[in-house]
Amino acid sequence: MMIQIQDWESSQKIIIVDEINHGTVQVEIPKPGPYKDEYYQYADCAIYNLWVDEKYRKRGTARLLMETAEREAKKLGCKSVQLEWNDKDTEVFVLEWYKRLGYHVKASSENDLLLLVKELS
């Protein structure tokens, strides 16, 4: 598994790539400032762009990527993580899967976007 940490102007990003199982996920850790204040009211960082090639799904790759993302975020000082879900882009079983991983719905918006949060222990 390849893990890369990138330093951007308003955040740090963790890029995780599983080349064997053809999957990837990203984490964003905002730096103090207006960007963090606007988008990170419930958690220290966000997980996004979780993807596993269709041929490699149902093998635990997504779970391993999520666990790795959470562990790496925790190493960089994050105590909680958020992610977004909506029924227009993602099937309901994915929401249920996130809940089984320990995420809970923290907020929702008028466009049916759910914000899920998990405390990193």
Side-chain angles (χ1 to χ4, degrees):
M1 194 162 308
M2 191 267 310
I3 300 170
Q4 180 184 66
I5 298 174
Q6 300 175 348
D7 192 31
W8 292 67
E9 183 177 333
S10 61
S11 65
Q12 279 187 305
K13 296 186 189 293
I14 306 169
I15 314 300
I16 302 165
V17 178
D18 183 337
E19 294 174 333
I20 295 169
N21 296 300
H22 302 263
T24 185
V25 69
Q26 297 181 41
V27 180
E28 180 178 64
I29 304 168
K31 294 178 181 176
Y35 178 71
K36 180 176 182 172
D37 296 342
E38 184 175 351
Y39 295 105
Y40 289 88
Q41 299 172 17
Y42 301 107
D44 301 319
C45 65
I47 291 179
Y48 64 100
N49 287 345
L50 174 64
W51 176 82
V52 177
D53 186 289
E54 250 182 81
K55 296 177 195 171
Y56 294 86
R57 293 181 184 167
K58 307 245 186 237
R59 299 181 185 184
T61 303
R63 179 180 292 274
L64 178 61
L65 287 165
M66 290 292 287
E67 290 169 352
T68 303
E70 292 167 2
R71 184 179 62 248
E72 293 299 315
K74 189 174 177 180
K75 282 183 190 177
L76 292 177
C78 295
K79 292 181 171 64
S80 58
V81 63
Q82 68 185 31
L83 55 85
E84 295 177 340
W85 180 89
N86 77 46
D87 62 358
K88 292 178 183 110
D89 297 329
T90 311
E91 300 290 332
V92 174
F93 78 87
V94 175
L95 174 61
E96 297 307 317
W97 182 75
Y98 285 139
K99 289 178 179 179
R100 287 194 306 275
L101 293 179
Y103 289 83
H104 64 275
V105 176
K106 187 71 174 179
S108 62
S109 66
E110 63 258 3
N111 60 357
D112 298 324
L113 183 70
L114 296 180
L115 180 68
L116 292 95
V117 174
K118 179 179 180 178
E119 298 300 318
L120 300 175
S121 51

